[in-house]
Amino acid sequence: MIIGLTGGIGSGKSTVARAFESLGIGWIDADDVAREIVEPGEPALSAIINYFGQRVAKTDGTLDRAALRSLIFEDPSKRQWLEAVTHPRIRERLLQHLTRLSGHSPYVLLVSPLLFESGQDALVARSIVVDVPPDMQLSRTLARDGVSAKQVHAILAAQLPREERLAKADDVIDNSGNHAHLMEQVERLDRAYRNG
């Protein structure tokens, strides 16, 4: 069984995934796979550099993610082009990883910030939304990512509104409390998923 795990930026998806991992659950992060498919030698990287030019390539040939991010968040049509190139490749690679992980885990987690927006929710049996108040999302992201408040707001605008994301959830984890509160919720869901 594949469980989707999503939440807005700064909600603590990786923290929740690691909590499940401590209970023996395998997981793959779509963001990691998104980085994997644009490594040097990958067809998606060549396509991106051909489209945007050398300004999105670092001198070592790797993708300049910050340069690309500023270009696509200023122009929705460029973001749509990028998603059309990367999303099918991400989906294919995710399925490879999930298949591999499922051999060692009672169920697996697909961690994806754009689970619903990208259509990856079609791959999962259930979905968990990690939720925190918007002011906490903003402060955590600013502290962690070294980006401007303007960029955080652009990223938030590209994600589903909180209310819509919560409405689509099968399960919700409130990650605004302490670690003990988080683990209590994770353990409860883990028991339910194992009992299928």
Side-chain angles (χ1 to χ4, degrees), residues 18 27 40 62-63 73 81 104 125 135 142 144 147 167 178 186 195-196:
R18 285 191 293 272
W27 60 282
T62 60
L63 183 65
F73 281 113
W81 178 90
H104 314 285
D135 59 330
L142 289 172
R144 178 192 72 191
V147 295
N178 61 26
V186 167
N195 294 331

Side-chain angles (χ1 to χ4, degrees), residues 9-10 64-70 73 137-156:
I9 188 170
D64 185 336
R65 299 177 72 80
L68 181 61
R69 186 170 37 240
S70 67
F73 281 113
Q137 275 186 283
L138 183 62
S139 62
R140 281 182 179 176
T141 306
L142 289 172
R144 178 192 72 191
D145 292 353
V147 295
S148 68
K150 182 182 174 193
Q151 277 185 309
V152 176
H153 286 295
I155 293 166
L156 287 169

Side-chain angles (χ1 to χ4, degrees), residues 21-192:
E21 184 178 38
S22 74
L23 302 175
I25 302 307
W27 60 282
I28 187 71
D29 189 320
D31 279 351
D32 293 341
V33 173
R35 282 188 280 279
E36 195 179 290
I37 64 132
V38 293
E39 287 175 353
E42 291 280 351
L45 178 61
S46 302
I48 291 166
I49 292 171
N50 286 339
Y51 183 82
F52 289 101
Q54 287 299 319
R55 61 189 169 173
V56 297
K58 293 182 178 176
T59 53
D60 65 359
T62 60
L63 183 65
D64 185 336
R65 299 177 72 80
L68 181 61
R69 186 170 37 240
S70 67
L71 289 171
I72 63 167
F73 281 113
E74 289 168 9
D75 184 342
S77 68
K78 288 181 178 163
R79 191 178 89 232
Q80 289 167 346
W81 178 90
L82 181 67
E83 289 172 354
V85 167
T86 58
H87 284 185
R89 289 177 168 97
I90 292 168
R91 182 186 180 102
E92 181 183 330
R93 194 75 56 93
L94 279 171
L95 286 169
Q96 292 169 4
H97 286 297
L98 290 165
T99 300
R100 179 181 48 78
L101 289 169
S102 66
H104 314 285
S105 186
Y107 59 92
V108 291
L109 297 178
L110 166 52
V111 181
S112 177
L114 299 175
L115 183 74
F116 300 121
E117 297 90 332
S118 68
Q120 291 170 353
D121 58 320
L123 303 174
V124 306
R126 291 188 69 79
S127 61
I128 304 169
V129 167
V130 182
D131 187 53
V132 295
D135 59 330
M136 189 177 278
Q137 275 186 283
L138 183 62
S139 62
R140 281 182 179 176
T141 306
L142 289 172
R144 178 192 72 191
D145 292 353
V147 295
S148 68
K150 182 182 174 193
Q151 277 185 309
V152 176
H153 286 295
I155 293 166
L156 287 169
Q159 296 181 336
L160 272 184
R162 182 184 186 200
E163 299 73 28
E164 279 185 54
R165 192 169 37 246
L166 289 169
K168 290 177 178 280
D170 294 306
D171 302 299
V172 176
I173 290 180
D174 170 17
N175 195 21
S176 62
N178 61 26
H179 186 70
H181 177 62
L182 173 65
M183 281 308 297
E184 189 179 294
Q185 296 172 83
V186 167
E187 287 167 2
R188 179 176 45 79
L189 288 175
D190 177 62
R191 283 191 301 272

